[in-house]
Amino acid sequence: MRCRAPSAKKMSTSLDQDRQRIVHTFQRMRSEVQQIGQKILELESERNEHGLVIGAMEKLDTGRKCFRMVGSVLVERTIGETLPALQRNKRGIDEVLERLGETLQQKQREMSEYQTRHKIKVVQQGAASQGEAPEAGKAGGVLA
C-alpha cells in the first residue's frame, strides 16, 4: 500500500480557500462594526433633536397646545402630555446608545484579535494602486 503526498496544486487551492475565508470573515466583521457605528451616529442625532425640543418645551406653559407625530399621524396634545413622553424617549435612546457603545467596543476588540491572529494587513485603495500590496503579501499575512 502506497501513501501519496498531496499535490502542490491541491495544497495551493486549499491555502487560497483558507485565505479567502479569512478575508471574508474579516470583511464581515468590519462591516458589522461600521453598521453599529452608523446606528450610533443616527441615534446620537435623534437624541440631540430630542434634547433641543425638550429644552424649548420646558420654557413653555404646560397647558399650551402642541402637535406630535405618532407613526404617520399628527396628534394634538398639550405640552404637559407630550413633554414626559419625550423625556422617556430620550432616556430610552440614551440606554440604547450605551449598549451599542459597549457592543461596538467588543466587536472592535474581536476584529482586532482576529486581525492579529491571522496577520491581516489592511491595504488602503490608494496604497494598493501604488504597488504596495505585493510586498505586504510577502510577509506571510493575509491582505484585506
Side-chain angles (χ1 to χ4, degrees):
M1 199 159 144
R2 278 174 99 181
C3 290
R4 291 188 196 185
S7 69
K9 186 175 181 180
K10 286 182 182 177
M11 290 177 69
S12 173
T13 302
S14 176
L15 187 60
D16 287 343
Q17 288 174 346
D18 286 346
R19 284 184 176 164
Q20 288 175 356
R21 181 183 49 77
I22 290 168
V23 169
H24 177 73
T25 301
F26 181 73
Q27 288 172 341
R28 182 182 46 77
M29 294 171 95
R30 188 164 45 176
S31 175
E32 287 176 11
V33 166
Q34 289 172 345
Q35 288 173 355
I36 293 170
Q38 282 295 96
K39 191 62 176 176
I40 287 173
L41 289 175
E42 290 172 23
L43 288 173
E44 284 176 342
S45 174
E46 197 168 321
R47 178 184 59 189
N48 291 339
E49 288 177 22
H50 274 67
L52 290 172
V53 172
I54 290 169
M57 290 179 84
E58 285 176 333
K59 298 173 187 172
L60 302 173
D61 178 37
T62 58
R64 185 172 175 174
K65 185 186 336 181
C66 69
F67 293 89
R68 180 175 180 212
M69 284 292 277
V70 178
S72 61
V73 179
L74 190 62
V75 180
E76 182 179 335
R77 299 273 190 242
T78 64
I79 290 179
E81 296 170 328
T82 304
L83 192 56
L86 284 174
Q87 291 167 333
R88 248 190 333 271
N89 287 350
K90 187 173 182 287
R91 282 192 303 271
I93 292 169
D94 287 338
E95 291 171 6
V96 170
L97 278 170
E98 186 177 327
R99 286 194 305 266
L100 278 176
E102 292 168 0
T103 302
L104 180 63
Q105 288 177 348
Q106 177 188 355
K107 293 287 186 183
Q108 287 174 328
R109 260 192 317 273
E110 290 173 5
M111 188 175 80
S112 178
E113 290 168 1
Y114 189 84
Q115 184 176 5
T116 302
R117 181 174 51 241
H118 292 286
K119 299 175 185 167
I120 297 172
K121 297 185 184 351
V122 178
V123 178
Q124 301 299 327
Q125 279 189 332
S129 64
Q130 295 173 359
E132 293 180 21
E135 285 133 24
K138 291 178 185 175
V142 178
L143 295 175

